[in-house]
Every structure is written in structure tokens, then in C-alpha cells.
Amino acid sequence: MHILELLDDLRKKASQDPKLKKALLDTRKDSDPFISFCRTCRAFGYPVYEMELISAGEEFYATMKRSTNGGGENSPMLEGEDDFYGMFFASLENN
């Protein structure tokens, strides 16, 4: 399963499971929230790893840049679309 599918499934499950939602939101209080988040995902059965999460965002951004206007200098700047971690929490908080 691709990282986006994992995060979407995790978000759906967390929106219906208060214990899981709280555990995920509490990771942001940790001294290293990114690592804590990934560790918590794995504890709940979702194989989310730090480098995979980072590289997926970077790969997504690179693909978007290449697909718009040939990826040249006139390609639009994307803001936040490469931050799957941030988008996950934004979505989770709105549910």
C-alpha cells in the first residue's frame, strides 16, 4: 500500500476511534514529533516510516512540477502539497 493510501486509511480509522486520534495528536507534543508519529502509526499496524513519508512528499512535488508547463521556470510554486505529514494533521483535526 502506498503511503498516501496508508495515511488516508489511518485518518479514516482515527476519525472513528478516539483513542487512536488522541494518540496521533499527542505525538505532536513529543520532542521529535515526526519520529513519534511514525512510531505510533506502526504501533497501530500502519507501516509508516520517516524516510518513506519524506520521500513520498518530495516525489509528489517533483511529479507535479514536471507535469505543469514542462516543469520549467514558469511552473507554479506549490505550497504544502508535498507535506503529507502536515496535510494528515490538518485533515484529522477537521474531522
Side-chain angles (χ1 to χ4, degrees), residues 64-81:
M64 291 296 292
K65 286 286 282 184
R66 284 191 303 272
S67 72
T68 56
N69 195 26
E73 290 299 317
N74 295 325
S75 296
M77 290 297 296
L78 302 176
E79 294 185 26
E81 286 87 351

Side-chain angles (χ1 to χ4, degrees), residues 3-4 7 28 33-34 37-38 50 52-62 64 78-92:
I3 190 71
L4 285 177
L7 291 175
R28 296 185 302 176
F34 195 75
F37 170 75
C38 293
E50 295 83 347
E52 183 179 81
L53 187 53
I54 293 168
S55 66
E58 290 174 354
E59 288 173 18
F60 177 79
Y61 183 76
M64 291 296 292
L78 302 176
E79 294 185 26
E81 286 87 351
D82 62 334
D83 182 10
F84 294 160
Y85 173 77
M87 289 189 311
F88 174 83
F89 279 109
S91 177
L92 185 61

Side-chain angles (χ1 to χ4, degrees), residues 7-82:
L7 291 175
D8 189 49
D9 190 50
L10 181 61
R11 182 195 50 78
K12 288 176 185 174
K13 185 174 179 182
S15 68
Q16 297 188 3
D17 181 346
K19 180 182 175 185
L20 174 57
K21 184 174 182 175
K22 181 178 179 350
L24 292 168
L25 291 172
D26 285 349
T27 63
R28 296 185 302 176
K29 299 174 188 172
D30 195 77
S31 62
D32 196 338
F34 195 75
I35 291 174
S36 181
F37 170 75
C38 293
R39 186 180 309 122
T40 301
C41 290
R42 293 190 300 271
F44 281 91
Y46 291 85
V48 175
Y49 293 90
E50 295 83 347
M51 286 310 299
E52 183 179 81
L53 187 53
I54 293 168
S55 66
E58 290 174 354
E59 288 173 18
F60 177 79
Y61 183 76
T63 300
M64 291 296 292
K65 286 286 282 184
R66 284 191 303 272
S67 72
T68 56
N69 195 26
E73 290 299 317
N74 295 325
S75 296
M77 290 297 296
L78 302 176
E79 294 185 26
E81 286 87 351
D82 62 334

